[in-house]
């Protein structure tokens, strides 16, 4: 799948900002989570509610493509597994979204360039991974655009998807992301895979990821996980066996 096709899989229909421009957006910090309740199609109801509530800000936690699962990775630092993950994605002909922090973009140039060369999408995860609701509007814009401009200048790549650092957001933060020309992408499933000294077993990770599969899923993984690197190919195969496009 090419870049445009992957981008189209994430993009959802959003109304104009006319309904939100009449008042100052609330900057109350909210911690995102997909919750445990699901609908009849196994989609998390909290992710569906997020789409309904924040679509005017070009923000989503589910894709509108009911046949597709989009795999995303948060790239805060390198733990030696990204190369194996990229090998698996190439073998399975899957394109993913990699959300980079500034530190990663600056330190891991060979891996970032490989992501670009192999057709993956780069996303913005903040220059310093700072929680946007804790910043002033000017600081929030700097957090977003300093990384945007660095990646554009260093790699010739213009990012268009943003994932809020720490999973924390506010209406004002979502509005600022949109003003910067970005769409905010959360997720509809994630599990505790980032604790490098307490990794789930391969069987446990596989079960969690496959049992939670649903159409329109935006799956959040962390590339620092040894378990994810081990099971990724089998998970992709399972998704496809269930009829999903990955």
């Amino acid at each position: 799948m090419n870049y445009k096709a992957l981008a189209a899989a994430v993009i959802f229909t959003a109304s104009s900002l006319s309904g939100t421009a009449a008042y100052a957006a609330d900057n109350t910090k909210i911690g995102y989570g997909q919750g445990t309740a699901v609908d009849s199609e196994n989609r998390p109801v909290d992710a569906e509610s997020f789409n309904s509530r924040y679509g005017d800000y070009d923000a989503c936690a589910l894709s509108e493509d009911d046949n597709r699962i989009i795999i995303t990775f948060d790239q805060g630092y390198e733990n030696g597994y990204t190369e194996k993950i990229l090998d698996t994605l190439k073998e399975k002909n899957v394109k993913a979204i990699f959300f980079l922090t500034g530190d990663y973009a600056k330190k891991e140039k060979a891996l970032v360039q490989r992501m670009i060369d192999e057709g993956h999408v780069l996303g913005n995860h903040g220059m310093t991974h700072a929680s946007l609701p804790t910043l002033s509007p000017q600081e929030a814009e700097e957090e977003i655009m300093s990384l945007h401009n660095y990646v554009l200048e260093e790699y010739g790549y213009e990012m268009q998807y943003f994932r809020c650092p720490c999973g924390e957001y506010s209406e004002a933060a979502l509005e600022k992301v949109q003003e910067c020309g970005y769409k905010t992408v959360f997720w509809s499933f994630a599990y505790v895979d980032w604790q490098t000294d307490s990794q789930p077993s391969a069987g446990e990770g596989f079960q969690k990821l496959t049992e939670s599969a649903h159409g329109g899923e935006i799956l959040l993984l962390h590339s620092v996980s040894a378990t994810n690197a081990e099971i990724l190919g089998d998970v992709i195969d399972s998704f496809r066996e269930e009829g999903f496009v990955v």
Side-chain angles (χ1 to χ4, degrees):
M1 182 171 58
N2 62 27
Y3 169 77
K4 290 184 178 179
L6 183 63
V10 176
I11 294 173
F12 60 96
T13 304
S15 57
S16 71
L17 269 177
S18 59
T20 61
Y23 64 92
D26 187 357
N27 198 39
T28 301
K29 182 170 68 176
I30 304 169
Y32 176 79
Q34 80 261 350
T36 58
V38 297
D39 67 10
S40 60
E41 301 299 323
N42 209 32
R43 292 186 294 257
V45 296
D46 286 353
E48 294 178 316
S49 296
F50 181 92
N51 274 26
S52 297
R53 182 168 184 178
Y54 298 110
D56 284 350
Y57 294 100
D58 283 342
C60 69
L62 279 164
S63 143
E64 287 191 344
D65 188 339
D66 290 340
N67 295 318
R68 184 176 300 279
I69 293 176
I70 298 170
I71 299 176
T72 74
F73 293 89
D74 282 0
Q75 301 290 127
Y77 65 96
E78 185 52 41
N79 200 31
Y81 301 115
T82 302
E83 186 172 3
K84 182 176 180 179
I85 287 168
L86 288 169
D87 289 344
T88 299
L89 294 172
K90 185 175 182 179
E91 176 190 348
K92 300 296 182 181
N93 193 28
V94 172
K95 308 303 181 189
I97 306 177
F98 290 89
F99 286 93
L100 311 179
T101 63
D103 189 62
Y104 197 96
K106 292 175 180 179
K107 288 183 177 179
E108 305 298 339
K109 293 185 178 181
L111 287 170
V112 174
Q113 189 61 56
R114 181 178 172 186
M115 293 169 192
I116 296 170
D117 293 344
E118 295 184 358
H120 300 291
V121 174
L122 301 185
N124 188 328
H125 200 31
M127 177 58 85
T128 68
H129 198 258
S131 173
L132 292 190
T134 68
L135 305 178
S136 70
Q138 295 77 16
E139 290 169 338
E141 183 169 341
E142 176 67 15
E143 177 73 10
I144 299 164
M145 295 307 298
S146 60
L147 180 54
H148 179 94
N149 292 331
Y150 176 82
V151 171
L152 182 59
E153 293 168 5
E154 184 68 24
Y155 299 98
Y157 187 100
E158 188 161 17
M159 298 183 292
Q160 56 182 309
Y161 300 117
F162 186 83
R163 174 162 285 159
C164 291
C166 312
E168 295 174 349
Y169 69 99
S170 65
E171 285 188 356
L174 297 179
E175 185 177 69
K176 174 57 67 175
V177 174
Q178 187 180 49
E179 288 174 355
C180 290
Y182 274 81
K183 298 180 184 298
T184 300
V185 179
F186 276 95
W187 58 89
S188 59
F189 187 77
Y191 77 116
V192 181
D193 63 346
W194 61 86
Q195 295 177 350
T196 57
D197 58 350
S198 182
Q199 284 289 289
S201 69
E204 180 185 1
F206 180 84
Q207 182 176 9
K208 286 179 179 293
L209 293 174
T210 55
E211 287 184 348
S212 66
H214 51 274
E217 179 174 1
I218 301 175
L219 173 60
L220 166 58
L221 299 174
H222 290 80
S223 64
V224 297
S225 165
T227 299
N228 289 345
E230 179 181 352
I231 67 175
L232 181 59
D234 291 337
V235 169
I236 290 168
D237 289 343
S238 178
F239 288 163
R240 286 173 168 165
E241 289 168 3
E242 293 297 316
F244 295 111
V245 177
V246 185

